[in-house]
Structure formats: structure tokens, C-alpha cells
């Protein structure tokens, strides 16, 4: 590693307030494909809380400075220093000044998709986290809040639609030039990462919305020409989100307009720019023929998420990027709650926990582990992680569990009241809950500081004579990079004691409860909880609803787990009992290279399938056994992905054969009548049918293959058609190529659908897949410049094809590493995320471990790496 040139990490402990503030920003933007001119007028003043007498130091990134003046006078060349990455005004007067800066940009050449760029000809911006500095020189940090006015000018033919933050103030022609302009004003002070503008030829749908206090808002969704017919569901989700936030959190919208723009080239899912959200079009556009039930659910969740940021993120923003979870964890919690209220709470919780375990637990167990609030970073783009987002949301959820619904709401109310219009910290947030409820949260705060998934070992003992049930709990937090010794955490453990008849026994902690009803608080390394008046041997149902993001190790027997899978009153734990059974069977089989013992699972799932009271969507979740990644994480060392794949396939085949009759019965019984509707009940029935179909076809039983072929041909919606295609591609090799070709012919010209086609092929667990993926990179529908294409084809291969990415000969690693290097020159952010697929390399068996390490080394030693890729490579190698 060339250590001399390596930039130093940024430390949370080094935080200092800015020396200069920017009260107002006036931007004059003249859009042009290759020569866009930006004139920025910044009203600045020394920060009383900063260092007196400081120069003005502004950030830049690949900027070209054309002119700079102070208080109306061009600055002498000796008065400032300009580089592409900074502009320093050496000795400014220590008083309010007007700084005017002209920069010149080439949006067409911007392949990083940060700052101002073009997507299918549309001008758009992405400024979070540090993209505004690619537009103009600016103190690009979230604690500098300013009021923005933006004048956008463009050729009318090229960009008839001009959008900015806030409300439209003025618009008109630039006489005799073919150009026009619009002036947007956002009265709410905001950090520059929330700045956005859009210019292009776009179609639009609009709807009025009346807020709780009677304010009229015009909602607009802008899409590529011809696609307005696919924006209706997003609009509906937006209106439901706005109402929900008023009702659940008392948060009302605050501008006259709220616009969403869908673009085809976007690094992330979506972005919450004030009054002008910009979305990856994958999370806006939906029609029954092109979008699956999962797509609809994602659209609903992400529309809600970005909308909810208007209060948690925009009105109250982050002091610095270490506080990212302040807005992201909280907002994920809010969007999860929204989806739970719109759909089935139990099924949503199951889906969220599956995601948490597969992404966050995996991250926490490897070299990229970090606290929910990191203490240092080299590249902030690499900290938009499952830990910050998903574990961050879990921490907020635990806070609610700890305090109870009402107290939680009081704390949130105080947070909005106290910090509106400011840039806050996690301490500020927690202090609101302490002040509103009188609860000491100092130990709880460790959830933000200590990385690693806590491990809870729980042993139960029933004493018949004393009618007591004792739980002995031991908690440990594993070592993670840079954190060896950990302190015990405060863990809200929801639980119940399930009696012989399947009903909950009364839960009576000896000496009174130390938590909310049904919850015990684990706060020590070792702790004993005794429950009284337990007159029969109970089965403990632990961590109900996944009340804490911990790894639970219990002494429950197979019979106990089967019992809980049949009877637990907590639906999450009913699901989890079946998963735990399956995981145990899979781990044993994979380790021994043996056939899994399917009997206990067949028993448990047979009961679930036969229970008429259960929600079909819940049954579908129960039928889906843990992923290969889940099994790998459980095995943890010397992992052989081929053995895991074989075990899982054998288990699914055994389940499909043993339960062929009820599975085929359910497939018939849950047919969805009428035309397609994305509602949760219909989606749940489809999910169950398709889970049945998958097991049947995998087992070659119950006419599975024929049913899949029939469904593929007859489907009137993408959910069914794509599941049928997946089943054929994975489980019916004889039909694979023809079905793939048919699907391509049906949807060519529809990139979002072709992405599904790419992703599916990349996931086939066969040695031919690597060559197939290589070949597909030359397919005319593939483009290395489009993040959705890259994620679909290469990302799916690396993250969702355990056997082929982890080929024993290392060819999967070489391919992905080479792709990362090619991509790094185009789009470092996307390249770095792709490289993170190596994160579990140390847990593999020796040949794979060595091959993966060699590939990472090759990346790491390549000269000229972006900071993004260098950071991931460096930390992965540890
Ligand atoms: N603020 C983020 C978008 C973002 C992420 C900008 C990273 C810059 C860098 C946005 O609110 C967000 O979190 N989007 C998520 C989707 C969300 C539903 C979790 C995303 O883009 O993946
Ligand atoms: Zn977000």
C-alpha cells in the first residue's frame, strides 16, 4: 500500500463548527450539454461559533473556475487559490460578504452521476453526500444551512420542463434566443446536499393534495415521454404517505408543490431533495405487465421513505455525515411502519428481518463491520450501508419498544419542536427521549457506538415444585475492526411462555417487571430472569417480533421448534421457529456433505399449510427456507458454497415431494380472480401460489414443471410471468433457453424488465453461468454506464449467486474484480458497492479464501483507484 499518498480518515472527534456561514445562495444556471455555466452568489458571514479571522475555504470536485469576485469586485490572483478541489479566499474581511463564483461544467461527460449530469438527455443533479461541490465551490457540509433561489435557463426545445427546489417564483422566455427560464425559491434553510434541479423533455401527472390544516399542495410526477401511464401507483403511494405522516407523527407538508422526477441513470434508489425528489425510475414506474408485486411494494416504501425525509432529514438535518443514521435509520423505521400499516404487519416484519439478517448481519460479521454511527471514515459514500440504514432502524424500533408507544411519540414531538431548522446529532435525538420521558438512555446509546451483532445465549429451566421458570441469559458482543472489548448492551427482549395447549401462560417476573409488558430488559453480561406461577412446563418464545437485532442461541429442541412453528401466538416467532429448524438441518447437512433430514420441517410446514387461519403471504414466507447466504453465515468458517447449495436443493426437493399434494392444492385454491391488482391480499395469494410452484417444480412433483410452463405462457401480470420464468430457468433446464428467449422478445425495449432477465440469468447455479454473464456484458441492452444494468447483471452474480461467484477456481472473483476496475473509471460509487460483495471472504474454505484474497489484492494494488474502491479494498483486506 502506498501509504504516503493515502488521505487521512475523517474523525467524528475532530468535528468543529464551520468558520463561515452561507445565509443565502442565488444560483444562475445556464444549461448546455457540454458547457453549462453556473453563477453562484453566496451571502456569507463569519460564524460566531467558528475560528475568528479564518480564510474562506470552499470545497470543489473536478471544478473549472471561470471568475470569482468579492463584494462586486473581481479578486486579484493573489487574493485566492483555486484548484479543482478547493477555492480559498485568503484574507477576507471579517464581516458579511457577497462572494460570486462562476464555474463551467460538462454534464454530458459526467459518468459518476454525482453533481449535474444527463440521464437519457435530461439534466438532473445528485448532491448527497458531496456532489454539490461538483457544481460550484461551496462549504459542502450538512451543518451549513442556506436559503436557495435558483434561476434555470435552457433551450426550450431541449428542456421544456425546468424544476428546482421550493416554489416556482417566475418563468418566461429569453427573447429571441429559443431559450427560456424558471426561477425557484425554497424558503426553508437547507444544506447543499438537498439542492436539486432538473431540465428536460418529460411527461407529467399531477394531483392536488389538501394538508391536515387545509393547505393546497400540487403534487407532480415527471417521467420519460410516453411513461406517464406507469406513474399512477407512485402518486397513490405519495398521497397515502402524506396522510400517514400527518396522522402518525403530526408532520405536515410545507411547500406549495411537491415534485418527483424519475430518471433512468441513478446511483441509488432515490433522493429526498427539498420539494424535488429525484428517483431511479425503477422505483416509480409500474404497470401490471412490467412490474412485480415486489416492485409495487418497493415503490410504495421508497416513495414514502423519501417523502418522510421532508421532516426527518430536511427540516431537521444532520450536523455531519457521522450522524447519517439520524436521518436514514429513523426514516427507514418510519417507512417500515408505513408499509406495515398499509399491508400486513407480521409479513412486513418478517421481510424486514430477512433483509436485516442477509445484509446487515453479514456486514457485521466481516471486515466492513462498523457502528450504526461510525467514528471515522475515508469515503462517506461507502457508509450508506445496511448497518446505518437497517440496524439504524432497528435501534429506533428498540427505543419505541423500550419506552412504549406514547412515550415514543412524546420524544418524537419534542425532537421536531426542539430541532426544527437545525442540523442535529444522535445525542440531540436521544436527549429528546430522555427529557420527554425521564428515562436514562446512556446504556442504550451503545447501540450507536458498538459494532457487531450481540449474541444472546438463553437457557430455560422449569421448576415444577416451585412453579417457576428461570431464564439464564448471557450476552456477548463480538470483536469487530477497531473494537476489541465491548460493554454489555441494553437489550429489550420481548418474550412469552407458551403452554401445552399453545396458548400463552401468564408472564409474571419475580420481583416485578423491569420492562414494558411482555418485555424483559437484558443489561448485563449474565443475567437471570425468574417467572412465577408457571404451573406447567412452558416453551419460551424469545425475542418476539425480533424485538432486538441479536443472534439468539437457545436450548430449544427440534420438538420445541415444531411446536412453536405450529402454535406460537407471535407470528414472527412462528415463522422464525420454522426457519431455525431449517437452518439447523441445512447446517448439519452442508457440514457433513449429507442429505438433509427433512422430516421435522415437513411436519412444521405441513401444519402451516393446513392452517386455514393463516395469511397466505405469511405461509409463503414460511415455505421459503433460509437462503444459501444465511446458511453460510451460520457455518461461519471454511464455508463450502457448493455443499450448502446441494443441501438446500435437496431439502427443497424433499419438501416439494413430501408435501406435493397440499402444495398443489394450495396452488389451485389460491388462484387470484379478476384482473391484476397490486394490493397486499392479492399479492399474498400470488406469493403463496408461486412459493408452492417453486417447490413443486424443484421437486419435479405435482406437475410442477408443466404448471410453470402454463403459467409462463398464460400470465397476465409480471409477478406470475417472472416467477414462472425463474422456476423454469432454475429448475427445468430443458425449457430454460426457449423461455428466456420468449421473455426477451416480449419485453425488449423495456430496460427495467430486461434487468430482471439479466438478473435471473446471472443467478443460475451452474458452471456455465460465468460465461453467460460475460457474454451478456456485450449484449446491446447492457451498458456499464447505467447502474441498474450493472447491478442487475454483475451485482446479482456477485451477491446472489453463491456457487458461481465463489467458484472454487476463483474465476468468479477474477471476473468481478476486473469489472470493478473497469467500472471504477466510469462510476466509482457503483464500483465500490460491487466490490463489497467480497465482504465475507474470510469465512470461506481455504482455496476460495486464497483466490478471493488474491483478487482483492489485485484491485487494491492497481494504481489510480478511486477513494471509493480503495477504501473498500483496504478495509476488506483489513
Ligand atoms: N438519502 C438517500 C439517498 C442517497 C443515498 C443519496 C446515498 C446519496 C448517497 C435516500 O433517502 C435513501 O435512503 N434512498 C435509499 C432507499 C431507501 C428506501 C432506503 C436508496 O437509494 O437505496
Ligand atoms: Zn433515506
Amino acid at each position: 500500500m502506498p501509504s504516503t499518498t493515502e488521505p487521512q480518515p475523517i474523525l467524528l472527534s475532530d468535528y468543529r463548527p464551520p468558520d463561515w456561514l452561507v445565509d443565502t445562495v442565488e444560483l444562475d444556471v445556464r444549461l448546455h450539454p457540454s458547457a453549462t455555466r453556473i453563477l453562484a452568489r453566496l451571502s456569507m458571514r463569519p460564524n460566531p461559533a467558528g475560528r475568528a479571522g479564518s480564510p474562506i475555504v470552499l470545497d470543489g470536485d473536478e471544478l473549472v473556475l471561470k471568475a470569482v469576485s468579492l463584494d462586486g469586485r473581481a479578486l486579484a490572483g493573489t487574493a485566492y487559490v483555486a484548484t479543482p478541489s478547493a477555492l480559498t479566499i485568503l484574507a477576507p474581511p471579517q464581516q458579511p460578504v457577497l462572494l460570486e463564483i462562476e464555474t463551467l461544467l460538462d454534464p454530458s461527460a459526467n459518468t459518476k452521476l454525482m453533481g449535474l449530469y444527463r440521464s437519457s438527455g435530461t439534466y438532473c443533479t445528485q448532491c448527497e453526500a458531496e456532489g454539490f461541490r461538483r457544481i460550484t465551490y461551496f462549504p459542502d457540509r450538512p451543518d451549513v444551512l442556506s436559503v436557495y433561489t435558483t434561476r434555470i435557463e435552457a433551450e426550450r426545445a431541449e428542456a421544456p420542463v425546468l424544476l428546482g427546489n421550493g416554489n416556482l417564483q417566475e418563468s418566461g422566455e429569453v427573447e429571441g434566443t429559443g431559450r427560456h427560464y424558471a426561477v425557484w425559491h425554497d424558503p426553508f434553510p437547507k444544506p447543499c446536499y438537498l439542492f436539486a434541479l432538473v431540465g428536460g423533455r418529460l411527461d407529467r401527472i399531477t394531483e392536488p393534495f389538501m394538508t391536515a390544516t387545509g393547505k393546497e399542495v400540487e403534487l407532480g410526477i415527471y417521467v420519460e415521454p410516453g411513461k406517464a401511464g406507469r406513474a399512477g401507483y407512485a402518486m397513490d403511494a405519495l398521497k397515502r404517505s402524506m396522510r400517514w405522516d400527518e396522522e402518525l407523527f403530526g408532520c405536515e407538508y410545507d411547500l406549495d408543490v411537491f415534485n418527483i422526477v424519475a430518471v433512468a441513470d441513478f446511483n441509488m434508489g432515490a433522493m429526498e431533495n427539498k420539494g424535488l425528489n429525484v428517483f431511479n425510475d425503477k422505483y416509480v414506474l409500474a404497470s401490471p405487465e412490467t412490474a412485480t408485486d415486489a416492485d409495487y411494494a418497493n415503490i410504495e416504501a421508497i416513495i414514502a421513505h423519501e417523502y418522510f425525509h421532508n421532516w426527518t432529514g430536511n427540516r431537521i438535518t444532520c450536523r455531519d455525515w457521522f450522524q447519517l443514521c439520524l436521518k436514514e435509520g429513523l426514516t427507514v423505521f418510519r417507512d417500515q411502519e408505513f408499509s406495515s400499516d398499509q399491508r400486513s404487519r407480521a409479513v412486513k416484519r418478517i421481510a424486514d428481518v430477512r433483509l436485516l439478517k442477509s445484509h446487515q448481519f453479514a456486514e457485521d460479521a466481516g471486515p466492513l463491520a462498523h457502528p450504526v454511527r461510525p467514528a471515522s471514515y475515508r469515503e462517506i459514500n461507502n457508509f450508506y450501508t445496511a448497518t446505518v440504514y437497517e440496524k439504524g432502524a432497528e435501534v429506533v424500533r428498540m427505543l419505541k419498544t423500550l419506552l412504549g408507544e406514547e412515550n415514543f411519540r412524546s420524544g418524537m414531538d419534542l425532537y421536531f419542536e426542539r430541532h426544527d431548522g437545525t442540523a442535529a446529532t444522535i445525542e440531540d435525538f436521544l436527549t429528546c427521549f430522555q427529557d420527554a420521558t425521564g428515562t436514562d438512555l446512556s446504556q442504550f446509546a451503545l447501540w450507536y457506538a458498538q459494532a457487531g451483532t450481540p449474541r444472546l445465549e438463553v437457557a430455560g429451566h422449569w421448576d415444577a415444585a416451585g412453579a417457576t421458570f428461570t431464564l439464564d441469559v448471557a450476552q456477548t458482543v463480538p470483536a469487530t475492526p477497531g473494537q476489541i472489548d465491548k460493554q454489555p448492551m441494553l437489550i429489550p427482549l420481548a418474550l412469552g411462555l407458551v403452554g401445552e395447549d399453545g396458548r400463552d401462560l401468564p408472564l409474571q417476573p419475580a420481583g416485578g417487571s423491569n420492562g414494558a409488558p411482555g418485555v424483559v430488559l437484558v443489561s448485563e453480561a449474565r443475567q437471570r430472569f425468574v417467572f412465577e406461577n408457571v404451573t406447567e412446563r412452558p416453551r419460551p418464545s424469545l425475542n418476539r417480533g425480533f424485538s432486538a437485532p441479536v443472534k439468539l442461541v437457545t436450548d430449544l429442541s427440534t420438538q420445541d421448534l415444531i411446536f412453536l412453528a405450529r402454535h406460537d401466538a407471535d407470528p414472527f416467532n412462528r415463522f422464525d421457529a420454522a426457519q431455525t429448524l431449517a437452518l439447523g438441518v441445512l447446517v448439519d447437512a452442508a457440514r457433513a456433505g449429507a442429505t438433509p433430514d427433512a422430516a421435522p420441517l415437513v411436519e412444521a410446514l405441513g401444519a402451516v399449510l393446513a392452517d386455514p387461519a393463516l395469511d397466505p403471504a405469511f405461509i409463503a414466507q414460511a415455505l421459503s427456507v433460509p437462503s444459501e447466504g444465511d446458511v453460510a453465515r451460520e457455518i461461519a468458517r471454511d464455508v463450502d458454497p457448493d455443499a450448502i447449495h446441494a443441501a438446500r436443493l435437496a431439502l427443497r426437493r424433499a419438501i416439494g415431494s413430501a408435501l406435493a399434494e397440499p402444495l398443489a392444492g394450495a396452488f389451485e385454491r389460491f388462484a387470484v380472480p379478476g384482473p391484476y391488482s397490486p394490493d397486499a391480499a392479492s399479492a399474498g395469494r400470488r406469493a403463496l401460489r408461486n412459493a408452492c410452484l417453486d417447490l413443486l417444480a424443484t421437486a419435479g412433483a405435482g406437475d410442477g414443471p408443466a404448471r410453470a410452463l402454463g403459467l409462463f405462457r398464460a400470465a397476465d401480470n409480471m409477478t406470475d410471468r417472472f416467477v414462472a420464468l425463474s422456476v423454469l430457468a432454475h429448475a427445468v433446464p430443458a425449457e430454460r433457453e426457449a423461455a428466456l428467449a420468449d421473455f426477451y422478445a416480449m419485453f425488449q425495449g423495456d430496460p427495467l424488465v430486461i434487468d430482471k432477465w439479466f438478473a435471473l440469468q446471472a443467478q443460475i447455479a451452474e458452471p456455465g453461468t460465468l460465461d453467460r454473464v460475460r457474454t451478456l456484458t456485450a449484449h446491446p441492452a447492457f451498458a456499464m454506464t447505467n447502474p441498474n444494468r450493472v447491478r442487475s447483471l454483475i451485482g446479482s452474480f456477485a451477491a446472489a449467486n453463491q456457487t458461481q461467484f465463489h467458484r472454487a477456481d476463483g474465476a468468479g472473483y477474477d471476473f468481478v474484480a476486473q469489472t470493478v476496475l473497469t467500472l471504477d473509471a466510469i462510476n466509482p460509487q457503483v464500483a465500490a458497492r460491487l466490490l463489497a460483495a467480497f465482504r465475507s471472504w474470510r469465512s470461506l474454505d481455504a482455496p476460495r479464501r486464497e483466490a478471493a484474497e488474491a483478487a482483492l489484492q489485485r484491485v487494491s494494488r492497481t494504481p489510480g483507484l478511486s477513494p471509493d474502491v480503495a477504501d473498500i479494498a483496504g478495509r476488506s483486506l483489513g
Side-chain angles (χ1 to χ4, degrees), residues 270-347:
M271 177 64 207
E272 71 266 23
N273 317 297
K274 182 77 186 188
L276 179 56
N277 289 0
V278 177
F279 271 62
N280 187 324
D281 61 1
K282 173 179 163 67
Y283 297 122
V284 172
L285 301 175
S287 68
E289 299 74 35
T290 59
T292 61
D293 291 329
D295 292 327
Y296 278 94
N298 281 333
I299 290 169
E300 177 176 76
I302 299 184
I303 291 274
H305 178 97
E306 306 309 336
Y307 174 73
F308 295 158
H309 270 315
N310 192 55
W311 277 92
T312 50
N314 300 3
R315 290 287 290 257
I316 306 177
T317 193
C318 301
R319 186 192 71 173
D320 53 68
W321 291 119
F322 295 102
Q323 321 295 328
L324 184 57
C325 62
L326 178 70
K327 74 177 179 83
E328 295 302 348
L330 176 56
T331 304
V332 169
F333 168 75
R334 276 151 53 69
D335 82 54
Q336 290 175 345
E337 286 297 289
F338 169 72
S339 294
S340 299
D341 285 346
Q342 303 286 311
R343 292 164 179 256
S344 148
R345 182 162 282 271
V347 174

Side-chain angles (χ1 to χ4, degrees), residues 132-213:
F132 192 71
R133 63 181 67 183
R134 294 169 60 78
I135 297 174
T136 189
Y137 292 101
F138 200 78
D140 191 353
R141 43 187 291 168
D143 57 352
V144 172
L145 308 187
S146 325
V147 170
Y148 285 70
T149 308
T150 311
R151 181 184 182 279
I152 315 164
E153 187 193 300
E155 207 152 286
R156 184 182 272 284
E158 191 188 33
V161 173
L162 298 175
L163 303 173
N165 304 107
N167 300 317
L168 180 65
Q169 236 176 14
E170 194 194 327
S171 63
E173 302 299 317
V174 185
E175 289 308 328
T177 60
R179 294 177 73 82
H180 72 144
Y181 70 93
V183 181
W184 290 82
H185 177 73
D186 178 6
F188 295 97
K190 65 167 175 287
C192 66
Y193 82 83
L194 291 172
F195 170 83
L197 69 80
V198 168
R201 240 190 314 270
L202 298 165
D203 284 354
R204 158 184 102 139
I205 62 169
T206 64
E207 297 249 356
F209 181 86
M210 169 106 63
T211 71
T213 61

Side-chain angles (χ1 to χ4, degrees), residues 388-446:
V388 168
Y389 275 67
E390 265 67 48
K391 189 173 180 181
E394 292 302 317
V395 176
V396 176
R397 184 174 299 281
M398 284 190 285
L399 193 57
K400 183 174 174 186
T401 303
L402 217 55
L403 301 176
E405 182 130 11
E406 269 178 42
N407 279 333
F408 178 74
R409 175 65 197 263
S410 318
M412 285 300 297
D413 288 348
L414 182 58
Y415 177 61
F416 290 129
E417 185 188 310
R418 193 181 272 177
H419 296 288
D420 185 16
T422 71
T425 62
I426 287 299
E427 283 76 12
D428 292 333
F429 178 69
L430 289 179
T431 301
C432 288
F433 292 90
Q434 291 200 158
D435 291 355
T437 68
T439 314
D440 176 2
L441 293 173
S442 45
Q443 188 184 12
F444 182 76
L446 285 171

Side-chain angles (χ1 to χ4, degrees), residues 663-687:
L663 288 168
F667 182 82
E668 297 297 341
R669 202 164 63 250
F670 287 100
V672 190
Y676 175 87
S677 152
D679 67 88
S682 311
R685 293 171 74 99
R686 276 186 292 273

